């Protein structure tokens, strides 16, 4: 028997301590209602639960955001309801004034009321606010602020500089000190993703090239149509094969040509064919062959090459591209190593000359050529290019499936370069981390759109718990000038009738705006319900991890409490065991 170490007491003490700790934990869980009160209770469960809590709180706040946005919409729509009433009254007065039984003073009285109603339309547009933010005196709401920012960023990072480099390397053309503005529009009625607009010298008698104009272009403007230049948040822009960066390369070709040669007197097929050749048009040519039925039909589609033969559809672009490839190949076959570059550099060196003069010059250099003017070239093009002769006469190689080479002026099909695909023709050097350059072009001075004011045209609403889960609310200018009713006159029958038409247009615009706002509200109401449902379901999942099962925990508490009391009793008994040693001394 040993008395220095009472093993039974030690064991009972350990069990008592464990039972006491278990009772303490059970009491803590029962009193807090949570099964996890510290990380040690369930380390993995705590991490999952906290992540879920972040999502739940984010969903709840996103729901509040959506409800705030609905309030904003209701504020704007309520104001437009009154604007509708005002314009309807103005229309009614215009109808009243469009009646010659009215005396002059009668129409003056009507005009005075219309003037006051117009001022109230302006006041509503200028004063309607939500949380101090103006709602109805903004600009073109159809142009998304984020799309504008993304588009300008891509232009500054890659697209303009790389397009200019591509034109220089393809045709030896370089502009110098040309002013060009960038404008962002949204015009679904136009079929263009982008276009360059310029001012030319008027010459009504001139029928060469584009009728009525001549010379080089000035006051250049690169207009990018967001109705088709989408999406804006990718490096290439858009989807294959119509990437926005290829569209920009096409338009910068026009800009350089406008500023370096007699663009107004060049055939439209030549101007468009050169621009297509810059980035390659094999995909367009395939489409043209499919739509027109054969290569021969694509060739004949060019007509006589005049302005009147150009309809501006995709088939015309396919014909222009094929014609340009034919011209390039024929020059190369007859000793011109740089192909069509001989034509473009001649035109740049002689900025008053036209294509006939350029072809005559090339013919003088390469006697083997069978044409020396546009008319003889057209005849040769139609006679020589067939399905069987496509590669030999034009250098075009149409690949099965995706184009290994798009047929660009610097690609492997047209020149001794590397293959250029729809993605690689504009390399976007530096990737997404490339720096924005305010003046990325060496030959052009760019004026950028004022995006600072554009940002105020939309409201970004966070409608999800995570980054990027947002939507934009766009509002339009609903003041009298924007609605076309700022200067209604009813002094005569004719003017009153014009006022009726203006009011009809204004009513249509306000109706469209209210309809769009109503669509936003309907969407946000669905969004709110979805967020509430998601929050509820996620809360249920988090509850199963974090909340304690009170019934089950009460069972554990009862068990541990009994064990604690038993351990206390047994510890008392264990402490009595050394007393038996005294019996040995009796």
């Amino acid at each position: 028997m040993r008395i220095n170490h009472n093993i039974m007491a030690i064991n009972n003490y350990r069990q008592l301590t464990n039972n006491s700790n278990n009772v303490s934990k059970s009491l803590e869980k029962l009193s807090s209602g949570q099964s996890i009160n510290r990380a040690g209770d369930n380390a993995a469960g705590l991490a999952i639960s906290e992540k879920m809590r972040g999502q739940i709180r984010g969903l709840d706040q996103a729901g509040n955001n959506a409800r705030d946005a609905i309030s904003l919409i209701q504020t704007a729509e309520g104001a437009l309801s009154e604007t509708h009433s005002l314009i309807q009254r103005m229309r009614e007065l215009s109808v009243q004034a469009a009646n010659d039984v009215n005396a002059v003073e009668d129409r003056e009285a009507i005009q005075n009321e219309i003037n006051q109603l117009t001022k109230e339309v302006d006041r509503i547009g200028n004063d309607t606010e939500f949380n101090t933010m103006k709602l109805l005196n903004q600009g073109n709401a159809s142009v998304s602020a984020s799309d504008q920012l993304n588009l300008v960023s891509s232009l500054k990072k890659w697209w303009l500089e790389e397009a200019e480099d591509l034109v220089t390397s393809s045709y030896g053309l370089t502009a110098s000190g040309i002013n060009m503005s960038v404008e962002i529009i949204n015009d679904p009625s136009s079929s263009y993703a982008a276009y360059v607009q310029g001012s030319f010298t008027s010459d009504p008698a001139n029928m060469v090239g584009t009728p009525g104009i001549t010379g080089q272009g000035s006051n250049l403007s690169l207009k990018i149509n967001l109705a088709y230049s989408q999406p804006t948040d990718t490096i290439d822009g858009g989807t294959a094969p119509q990437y926005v960066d290829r569209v920009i390369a096409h338009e910068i070709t026009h800009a350089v040509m406008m500023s370096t040669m007699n663009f107004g007197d060049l055939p439209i097929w030549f101007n468009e064919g050169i621009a297509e050749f810059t980035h390659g048009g094999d995909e367009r040519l395939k489409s043209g062959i499919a739509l027109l039925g054969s290569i021969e039909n694509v060739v004949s589609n060019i007509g006589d090459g005049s302005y009147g033969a150009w309809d501006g559809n995709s088939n015309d672009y396919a014909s222009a591209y094929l014609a340009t490839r034919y011209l390039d190949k024929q020059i190369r076959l007859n000793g011109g190593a740089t192909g069509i570059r001989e034509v473009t550099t001649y035109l740049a060196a002689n900025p008053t000359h036209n294509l006939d003069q350029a072809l005559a010059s090339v013919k003088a250099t390469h006697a083997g050529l069978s044409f020396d003017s546009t008319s003889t070239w057209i005849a040769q093009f139609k006679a020589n290019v067939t399905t069987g002769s496509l590669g030999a006469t034009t250098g075009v190689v149409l690949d099965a499936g995706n184009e290994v080479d798009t047929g660009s002026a610097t690609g492997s099909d047209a020149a001794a370069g590397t293959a250029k695909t729809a993605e690689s023709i504009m390399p976007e050097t530096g990737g997404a981390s490339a720096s924005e350059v305010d003046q990325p072009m060496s030959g052009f001075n760019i004026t950028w759109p004022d995006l600072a004011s554009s940002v105020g045209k939309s409201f970004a609403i966070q409608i999800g718990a995570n980054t990027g889960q947002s939507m934009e609310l766009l509002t339009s200018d609903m003041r009298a000038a924007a609605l076309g009713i700022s200067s209604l006159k009813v002094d005569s029958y004719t003017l009153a009738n014009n006022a009726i038409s203006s009011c009809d247009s204004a009513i249509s615009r306000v109706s469209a705006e209210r309809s769009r706002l109503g669509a936003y509200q309907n969407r946000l109401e669905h969004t709110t319900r979805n967020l509430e449902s998601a929050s509820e379901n996620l809360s249920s999942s988090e509850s199963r991890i974090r909340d304690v099962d009170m019934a089950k925990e009460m069972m554990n508490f009862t068990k541990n409490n009994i064990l604690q009391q038993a351990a206390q009793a047994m510890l008392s008994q264990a402490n009595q065991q050394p007393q038996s040693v005294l019996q040995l001394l009796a």
Side-chain angles (χ1 to χ4, degrees):
M1 300 180 69
R2 300 174 180 86
I3 63 171
N4 285 334
H5 292 83
N6 188 345
I7 301 303
M8 287 185 293
I10 293 172
N11 179 268
N12 275 277
Y13 176 74
R14 179 174 59 82
Q15 297 293 345
L16 176 61
T17 301
N18 289 340
N19 291 334
S20 296
N21 289 336
N22 289 336
V23 169
S24 176
K25 290 180 179 180
S26 291
L27 284 171
E28 189 175 35
K29 291 176 181 179
L30 289 169
S31 61
S32 68
Q34 295 184 337
S35 63
I36 303 175
N37 291 285
R38 60 181 62 82
D41 292 337
N42 183 347
L46 176 69
I48 296 171
S49 173
E50 288 297 333
K51 183 168 65 175
M52 285 185 171
R53 284 187 172 185
Q55 289 292 297
I56 293 166
R57 294 179 67 171
L59 289 169
D60 291 341
Q61 184 56 54
N64 291 334
N65 292 350
R67 283 183 280 272
D68 288 342
I70 289 173
S71 296
L72 181 149
I73 290 167
Q74 290 173 333
T75 301
E77 203 272 329
L80 289 179
S81 174
E82 193 58 37
T83 299
H84 244 156
S85 298
L86 289 165
I87 301 173
Q88 291 285 13
R89 174 59 179 163
M90 293 165 72
R91 187 184 190 282
E92 181 182 5
L93 291 169
S94 299
V95 172
Q96 181 181 354
N99 191 346
D100 280 340
V101 303
N102 291 301
V104 173
E105 57 269 21
D106 296 331
R107 283 191 167 125
E108 287 178 352
I110 295 172
Q111 184 68 61
N112 289 336
E113 184 175 352
I114 286 177
N115 292 343
Q116 291 302 313
L117 295 175
T118 303
K119 290 179 181 179
E120 182 59 16
V121 170
D122 275 337
R123 189 201 65 79
I124 291 173
N126 285 320
D127 294 351
T128 301
E129 297 180 348
F130 184 84
N131 194 27
T132 73
M133 293 181 291
K134 303 291 186 182
L135 300 182
L136 300 177
N137 67 348
Q138 308 298 320
N140 183 3
S142 62
V143 179
S144 164
S146 61
D147 281 340
Q148 292 182 77
L149 292 168
N150 290 338
L151 192 59
V152 168
S153 178
S154 295
L155 291 168
K156 289 183 175 181
K157 284 182 177 180
W158 318 286
W159 294 350
L160 291 182
E161 179 183 8
E162 292 184 357
E164 183 182 40
D165 291 344
L166 195 55
V167 174
T168 301
S169 61
S170 300
Y171 310 119
L173 303 177
T174 304
S176 178
I178 305 301
N179 294 324
M180 182 169 67
S181 64
V182 173
E183 298 180 28
I184 300 173
I185 61 175
N186 191 349
D187 184 9
S189 66
S190 169
S191 61
Y192 295 95
Y195 60 96
V196 172
Q197 190 174 67
S199 300
F200 293 87
T201 301
S202 175
D203 184 1
N206 183 6
M207 294 293 108
V208 179
T210 302
I213 64 171
T214 189
Q216 296 169 252
S218 59
N219 301 319
L220 300 188
S221 175
L222 171 61
K223 298 180 184 292
I224 304 175
N225 188 2
L226 277 177
Y228 299 103
S229 297
Q230 294 283 351
T232 62
D233 57 354
T234 61
I235 288 180
D236 291 332
T239 55
Q242 177 76 341
Y243 294 111
V244 181
D245 59 358
R246 294 182 76 186
V247 174
I248 298 302
H250 182 110
E251 298 308 324
I252 293 304
T253 304
H254 286 324
V256 175
M257 291 176 69
M258 284 181 185
S259 58
T260 58
M261 58 184 67
N262 187 0
F263 192 83
D265 287 346
L266 298 176
I268 191 169
W269 66 261
F270 179 79
N271 294 335
E272 296 299 344
I274 290 288
E276 283 288 297
F277 195 17
T278 301
H279 53 74
D282 283 2
E283 303 97 338
R284 176 98 74 179
L285 180 55
K286 281 183 179 179
S287 175
I289 293 170
L291 291 170
L292 295 175
S294 67
I295 290 174
E296 288 77 8
N297 288 341
V298 173
V299 171
S300 64
N301 184 60
I302 202 168
D304 61 359
S306 67
Y307 186 84
W310 182 265
D311 293 325
N313 56 41
S314 184
N315 293 334
D316 285 347
Y317 282 87
S319 298
Y321 167 69
L322 186 61
T324 306
R325 289 295 306 270
Y326 175 76
L327 181 56
D328 175 75
K329 184 66 173 179
Q330 292 305 307
I331 295 173
R332 292 178 186 274
L333 289 174
N334 287 277
T338 59
I340 204 166
R341 183 168 177 155
E342 292 193 21
V343 177
T344 55
T345 53
Y346 173 88
L347 290 169
N350 300 274
T352 61
H353 288 195
N354 58 36
L355 185 58
D356 280 346
Q357 292 164 304
L359 293 180
S361 174
V362 174
K363 166 70 173 176
T365 304
H366 306 293
L369 285 173
S370 57
F371 50 82
D372 59 0
S373 66
T374 303
S375 59
T376 56
W377 171 86
I378 288 282
Q380 291 296 317
F381 174 57
K382 290 182 174 180
N384 293 343
V385 180
T386 64
T387 302
S389 68
L390 182 65
T393 57
T394 68
V396 172
V397 179
L398 297 180
D399 300 311
N402 294 329
E403 285 297 318
V404 175
D405 186 282
T406 64
S408 68
T410 57
S412 58
D413 286 358
T418 57
K420 301 291 186 181
T421 65
E423 292 79 14
S424 66
I425 188 65
M426 295 278 278
E428 276 80 40
T429 303
S433 60
S435 300
E436 293 184 6
V437 180
D438 194 58
Q439 291 296 330
M441 305 178 79
S442 61
F444 292 86
N445 301 316
I446 304 299
T447 301
W448 299 102
D450 182 9
L451 297 186
S453 59
S454 299
V455 173
K457 298 172 184 175
S458 63
F459 301 90
I461 309 297
Q462 181 72 19
I463 55 171
N466 302 320
T467 301
Q469 295 176 346
S470 61
M471 67 172 286
E472 281 187 319
L473 300 182
L474 307 172
T475 60
S476 295
D477 192 337
M478 289 286 109
R479 292 171 294 182
L483 295 173
I485 55 172
S486 60
S487 57
L488 295 183
K489 298 295 182 184
V490 293
D491 299 340
S492 67
Y493 170 83
T494 301
L495 290 175
N497 263 279
N498 292 339
I500 294 171
S501 178
S502 296
C503 287
D504 285 338
S505 297
I507 289 170
S508 178
R509 285 201 59 184
V510 175
S511 297
E513 181 70 6
R514 291 183 69 184
S515 176
R516 189 157 55 82
L517 292 173
Y520 284 146
Q521 181 171 341
N522 289 339
R523 173 185 174 180
L524 286 167
E525 287 173 352
H526 286 290
T527 298
T528 301
R529 289 194 287 272
N530 173 259
L531 291 170
E532 290 171 348
S533 176
S535 177
E536 177 185 343
N537 292 327
L538 202 55
S539 295
S540 176
S541 298
E542 200 262 343
S543 173
R544 286 190 291 272
I545 297 173
R546 199 71 174 248
D547 291 349
V548 69
D549 185 334
M550 297 294 287
K552 184 177 180 180
E553 195 58 41
M554 186 60 72
M555 292 168 53
N556 290 333
F557 171 73
T558 302
K559 177 191 71 174
N560 292 327
N561 194 31
I562 293 172
L563 289 174
Q564 182 185 32
Q565 294 178 47
Q568 287 175 337
M570 293 306 100
L571 180 60
S572 175
Q573 292 295 321
N575 285 336
Q576 293 297 321
Q577 290 300 315
Q579 295 288 336
S580 61
V581 174
L582 295 176
Q583 296 178 8
L584 298 175
L585 300 177

